[in-house]
Amino acid sequence: MKVIKIYLFFLLLYGSSGVAIAQDVLPFPVTPSASNAGLTMQTSEYNKRVDPQRLSKDAPNILIILIDDCGPATPSTYGGEIYTPNLSRIADLGISYNRFHSTAMCSPTRASILTGRNHTAVGNGQIAEIANDWDGFSGTIPKTAATVAEVLKAYGYNTSAFGKWHNTPAEQTTSKGPFDYWPTGYGFEYFYGFLAGEASQYEPHLVRNTTVVSHPETTQGHDYYHLTEDITEDAIVWLREQEAFSPEKPFFMYWAPGAVHGPHHVTKEWADKYKGKFDDGWDAYRERAFKRQKELGWIPQDAQLTERDPTMTAWSDIPESERAFQSRLMEVYAGYTEHTDHNVGLLIDEIENLGKLDNTLIFYIWGDNGSSAEGQNGSISELLAQNSIPTTIQQHIDALEKLGGLDVLGSAKTDNMYNAGWAWAGSTPYRSTKLVAAHFGGTRQPMAVSWPKNIKHDNTPRPQFHHVVDIVPTIYEAVNIQEPKVVNGFTQDPIHGVSMDYTFADPNAEGTRKLQFFDIMGSRGLYYDGYFASAFGLRNPWVPGLPAGAATWNPEEDTWELYNIEEDWSQANDLSAEMPEKLAEMKNMFLVESAKNKNLPIGGGLWSVVYHPEDAPATPYTEWTFAGPIERMPEFAAPKLGKFDNNVKMEITVPENANGVLYALGSFSGGLACYVKDGYLSYEYNLFEIDRTHIKAKTKLPTGKVEIEVVSRLAAPERGSPLDVTLMVNGEEVATGQVPITAAFTFTANDCLDFGSDLGSPVSVDYYDQAPFKFNGTIGKSKIWYPKK
């Protein structure tokens, strides 16, 4: 007993000192019994075991707030025109960083934040939905790269995550798992949110831990539901329960809303706050934001405002007839962004009400990448761009008029996203946007950090060059622990990040990060000791359609740029012609870093999205059997209806006055459905609201037991080929038609395949107001198969 007590004394003493605790193997072993067992209870000595204190008594709570798709010139905090009082609140409590960087894309940044390792080194060279078989692009964080949640949980933290995850293999997101790569498999004791890259804010497909759940009907006392409000309410409940159930434990919370990623969904009252504020366009916005950034001291006085890329449209070139549409898209985005920051404020209020704000280390990261240009020319259904389907703005305006006009933008009836020009404006003063790792418009993210107990407020922006991989080592230093060598039996890969703790008290401290590589699908760069070398790559994210020259692209032939970013804040002056030897050195260093970080082949992330869509994540099956109604099969795990040759055969019982959905895949923003309306069998292919193909039988279905078959055949092997569709009833053809253009990639990121109803967002205008339009007969066995070739 004396030995145990002495051990505990020294452990407590050690844990409360400023010395980092080194535990090489996690989790900790079970504390041995403190009792001595004899033959009988009378001859036994009973002492209750006491678990050693793994953390210092003043270990901080930790909150990571990660906003989605936001550039540096959007928030009012740092010179933008979108009101962000709660980002300002954290900045005014602590400090801000103006040279902090992301990877330029969602899943890669999140993997790096959570593991402290470079994105390709942990298999996340691109988003999970376009993963492939190369190690750096597999879409799976290996267990040899434990997340910060796994480590903190082992030390005694309660851990939780809310909102967007986007780090689970897309084909493993069904309710049957496997769950190894879900948040709960990565150290989060609680998760509430969605697994995909984006979701409707009104009709999301949600999971709680490992269970698919329905969202509440309303949030925050409104007569409507909104996802950001939902995860805020749920996080507040979790905080209150954490305080009630385990007040002795610190918490780690990762709060990552789907906002403000597309679709841009917010109610009219929020969007209307910005009515008319952007009517002079994105070029004028950049001028204003640039001026304010300098006035605030956010960027140096000698920083230059970079020019618009020649492939990007000037506001003056937008026809007058289209300007109201383009302005309203930005108003919705701005309202959506302010609404998100407002919900951050509710979360911070709760932490303060619980008396924990003083000892909570908050990282408020403004964007997992720069503002997104994926809306391209402006869109009412933003996955048109992901499917490389070109459209005209007049098509969008015409389709919108049928739905109710400009006021419908931001509602559940559109998946709107603004013109790329607004994304470029949000990236002021830098070049480019999200998906470009070669320019800071895709990678430079403002970050505010507060920890009132340990960080004294200072208005001076921290100019040290840092990256999202640096969050984990900063947390470990704050908690006084060291990275483990083995976690859950897996020998750990080295962490690539460095702690930013040295900047907390000294804004002028010399930066410790001297080297950092960047690469998103061939757009790449290397930072080295004040210089940045980069190559733009194949894909220009704001130009519709497949990248020009993709078939013959050779990354070794790309043009490289070179910048001295100690003297040239915004990459305005290319030095490649003046310093060829320096550029050659850095290009070689980039290849070395790529080899070390599994970033080969260069451009490997393009494989499944540009070159081989057939290799995108999918289950290995070519045929499926569904016994009765089936709900919520995520699209990336479902049969590839609407893009591959397939047959769907269903056994149903048809009542009098038959109505309802037989099966539906996707959402109102894009998808397909087979349904019965007033006894008539119908099929709709919804091409992202721009075009809807309706195929309808001329006679009513017979009552009783009926066999329905839908035969779909691509008319040509090319991507986006027309699709011939035949409807059959009891072996007899009852209707045929052709879908003129198909979605080669995906209808949605987060919606599902349902049999017997259309849950989530309804696909068809025919039954939108009757959703989920459950079939009033019975659904028997259904089979789907791809025909053998």
Side-chain angles (χ1 to χ4, degrees):
M1 283 301 299
K2 287 183 179 179
V3 173
I4 293 174
K5 289 178 180 177
I6 291 170
Y7 168 74
L8 287 172
F9 171 80
F10 279 107
L11 185 64
L12 286 167
L13 180 66
Y14 188 64
S16 63
S17 71
V19 181
I21 300 171
Q23 174 67 23
D24 286 344
V25 179
L26 293 177
F28 287 87
V30 175
T31 304
S33 173
S35 300
N36 295 311
L39 181 62
T40 67
M41 284 187 286
Q42 289 80 0
T43 61
S44 301
E45 179 185 3
Y46 180 83
N47 292 288
K48 189 173 182 179
R49 78 187 73 197
V50 178
D51 287 327
Q53 178 66 38
R54 314 293 188 189
L55 299 165
S56 62
K57 290 184 178 179
D58 62 349
N61 304 297
I62 298 161
L63 170 63
I64 295 176
I65 300 164
L66 180 63
I67 307 301
D68 203 334
D69 282 9
C70 269
T74 49
S76 59
T77 309
Y78 303 121
E81 297 189 353
I82 300 174
Y83 185 47
T84 51
N86 294 292
L87 179 59
S88 297
R89 178 181 178 184
I90 297 304
D92 291 342
L93 276 175
I95 56 179
S96 296
Y97 291 78
N98 62 0
R99 287 214 297 179
F100 181 77
H101 299 83
S102 68
T103 67
M105 202 178 197
C106 304
S107 298
T109 290
R110 291 157 198 273
S112 291
I113 284 176
L114 292 172
T115 67
R117 286 131 174 133
N118 286 325
H119 59 305
T120 49
V122 292
N124 275 260
Q126 74 297 300
I127 58 172
E129 290 87 349
I130 53 174
N132 58 54
D133 199 52
W134 287 300
D135 286 341
F137 309 94
S138 66
T140 305
I141 300 174
K143 296 298 183 180
T144 55
T147 69
V148 63
E150 291 176 274
V151 173
L152 293 180
K153 174 187 169 186
Y155 273 92
Y157 274 76
N158 282 145
T159 60
S160 62
F162 298 86
K164 173 175 167 177
W165 178 245
H166 211 194
N167 284 123
T168 295
E171 70 277 18
Q172 295 184 18
T173 57
T174 75
S175 62
K176 299 301 170 285
F179 303 117
D180 307 64
Y181 303 113
W182 288 38
T184 53
Y186 282 119
F188 288 102
E189 296 166 311
Y190 181 82
F191 172 72
Y192 180 59
F194 61 97
L195 299 175
E198 65 176 58
S200 165
Q201 293 289 313
Y202 302 113
E203 298 155 318
H205 173 58
L206 297 176
V207 298
R208 178 172 277 113
N209 299 322
T210 57
T211 303
V212 174
V213 294
S214 299
H215 62 73
E217 291 186 7
T218 61
T219 47
Q220 294 184 0
H222 301 131
D223 60 357
Y224 58 82
Y225 171 87
H226 195 282
L227 175 55
T228 306
E229 296 177 358
D230 186 11
I231 64 166
T232 303
E233 289 186 315
D234 207 73
I236 287 172
V237 169
W238 186 88
L239 284 168
R240 292 173 178 173
E241 290 179 345
Q242 196 270 339
E243 173 68 7
F245 302 159
S246 51
E248 81 287 357
K249 285 188 168 190
F251 68 78
F252 168 57
M253 179 183 289
Y254 172 57
W255 194 84
V260 290
H261 193 290
H264 297 163
H265 279 163
V266 78
T267 57
K268 189 174 182 295
E269 64 180 300
W270 287 91
D272 282 353
K273 290 185 174 188
Y274 293 89
K275 203 164 186 63
K277 291 187 182 297
F278 309 115
D279 286 354
D280 55 355
W282 42 78
D283 297 283
Y285 183 106
R286 271 179 72 89
E287 295 285 349
R288 294 193 303 269
F290 182 60
K291 182 174 182 288
R292 279 193 304 271
Q293 287 172 332
K294 287 193 174 183
E295 290 172 349
L296 291 171
W298 181 245
I299 62 175
Q301 294 303 306
D302 62 356
Q304 298 180 58
L305 182 60
T306 55
E307 296 181 356
R308 185 187 338 99
D309 189 281
T311 62
M312 188 175 286
T313 306
W315 179 257
S316 59
D317 292 332
I318 299 295
E320 191 65 37
S321 61
E322 298 177 1
R323 289 190 179 185
F325 173 72
Q326 301 291 3
S327 295
R328 186 58 177 175
L329 289 172
M330 180 58 181
E331 291 167 10
V332 172
Y333 174 82
Y336 186 30
T337 303
E338 182 182 336
H339 176 263
T340 305
D341 180 76
H342 168 75
N343 277 273
V344 171
L346 298 178
L347 190 61
I348 296 167
D349 285 347
E350 185 61 34
I351 294 171
E352 186 171 34
N353 291 339
L354 292 170
K356 294 189 173 186
L357 187 59
D358 188 57
N359 195 31
T360 298
L361 173 56
I362 299 176
F363 300 89
Y364 193 159
I365 305 171
W366 192 255
D368 57 352
N369 39 245
S371 293
S372 174
E374 291 161 300
Q376 296 184 342
N377 295 325
S379 179
I380 65 167
S381 190
E382 40 101 15
L383 284 184
L384 278 162
Q386 300 284 4
N387 285 274
S388 301
I389 299 173
T391 57
T392 67
I393 293 303
Q394 195 58 50
Q395 285 179 282
H396 292 259
I397 293 173
D398 291 346
L400 189 63
E401 282 301 313
K402 294 176 183 177
L403 297 172
L406 290 178
D407 282 348
V408 177
L409 293 173
S411 75
K413 285 191 173 181
T414 59
D415 270 13
N416 50 279
M417 196 166 180
Y418 60 15
N419 189 295
W422 294 119
W424 173 64
S427 297
T428 305
Y430 308 111
R431 301 167 62 190
S432 302
T433 63
K434 172 186 177 180
L435 297 179
V436 179
H439 297 147
F440 295 146
T443 63
R444 186 159 285 179
Q445 315 301 146
M447 178 174 68
V449 177
S450 74
W451 185 12
K453 184 175 181 178
N454 279 43
I455 298 177
K456 183 180 178 181
H457 169 61
D458 183 350
N459 279 328
T460 306
R462 269 54 181 168
Q464 297 84 2
F465 194 101
H466 278 291
H467 187 270
V468 289
V469 295
D470 299 329
I471 296 294
V472 166
T474 304
I475 291 172
Y476 289 167
E477 186 162 352
V479 177
N480 285 328
I481 62 178
Q482 291 182 353
E483 62 180 279
K485 294 181 179 177
V486 178
V487 178
N488 295 323
F490 293 93
T491 300
Q492 294 295 289
D493 300 327
I495 282 179
H496 300 126
V498 298
S499 174
M500 298 181 292
D501 177 270
Y502 72 98
T503 66
F504 287 176
D506 186 1
N508 300 312
E510 182 180 351
T512 60
R513 172 162 293 289
K514 302 298 183 182
L515 177 69
Q516 180 61 47
F517 100 102
F518 297 78
D519 192 342
I520 289 295
M521 295 189 289
S523 180
R524 55 206 190 274
L526 182 87
Y527 167 75
Y528 177 60
D529 201 17
Y531 284 86
F532 195 91
S534 62
F536 188 86
L538 170 67
R539 190 168 72 157
N540 190 325
W542 51 83
V543 175
L546 288 171
T552 58
W553 177 62
N554 181 350
E556 292 184 296
E557 297 173 357
D558 281 352
T559 299
W560 280 71
E561 303 159 0
L562 178 67
Y563 303 96
N564 179 348
I565 60 171
E566 295 302 311
E567 300 175 357
D568 176 16
W569 183 266
S570 58
Q571 296 175 297
N573 301 304
D574 181 9
L575 302 176
S576 57
E578 299 172 36
M579 303 178 68
E581 292 182 359
K582 182 68 175 178
L583 179 60
E585 174 194 13
M586 294 187 67
K587 287 171 65 176
N588 287 334
M589 291 176 69
F590 175 83
L591 291 177
V592 171
E593 290 302 301
S594 290
K596 285 164 55 178
N597 287 281
K598 305 178 185 176
N599 187 45
L600 296 174
I602 301 300
L606 294 165
W607 181 264
S608 298
V609 69
V610 172
Y611 296 102
H612 293 281
E614 71 277 8
D615 289 333
T619 60
Y621 313 119
T622 58
E623 58 181 65
W624 296 258
T625 299
F626 301 91
I630 296 291
E631 298 177 352
R632 307 283 78 196
M633 186 177 193
E635 183 173 346
F636 278 91
K640 304 294 184 184
L641 303 179
K643 57 182 69 71
F644 286 2
D645 291 353
N646 64 81
N647 290 50
V648 181
K649 183 178 286 188
M650 302 181 66
E651 298 171 358
I652 63 174
T653 302
V654 180
E656 296 285 347
N657 193 33
N659 279 284
V661 171
L662 300 181
Y663 67 88
L665 173 68
S667 70
F668 196 70
S669 64
L672 57 82
C674 181
Y675 55 97
V676 183
K677 189 78 178 284
D678 298 327
Y680 290 92
L681 181 65
S682 294
Y683 173 96
E684 179 177 320
Y685 195 107
N686 171 1
L687 189 70
F688 305 104
E689 305 193 69
I690 295 300
D691 184 71
R692 294 176 184 268
T693 302
H694 290 268
I695 302 171
K696 181 179 179 181
K698 293 181 179 180
T699 57
K700 288 188 175 183
L701 286 172
T703 57
K705 292 186 180 298
V706 175
E707 182 182 84
I708 302 292
E709 186 168 5
V710 180
V711 180
S712 303
R713 296 291 184 268
L714 292 170
E718 289 79 19
R719 180 189 182 105
S721 160
L723 182 73
D724 294 317
V725 178
T726 302
L727 306 185
M728 303 182 73
V729 175
N730 293 330
E732 297 277 334
E733 180 182 303
V734 296
T736 62
Q738 186 177 77
V739 177
I741 303 173
T742 51
F745 176 45
T746 186
F747 288 119
T748 71
N750 190 52
D751 220 306
C752 300
L753 171 66
D754 296 310
F755 279 85
S757 62
D758 188 355
L759 300 172
S761 175
V763 170
S764 176
V765 291
D766 268 5
Y767 57 81
Y768 183 88
D769 294 329
Q770 298 165 274
F773 203 41
K774 184 176 180 181
F775 182 55
N776 61 355
T778 58
I779 304 286
K781 183 182 292 184
S782 302
K783 295 190 69 174
I784 300 177
W785 69 94
Y786 302 149
K788 294 180 179 179
K789 296 183 179 180

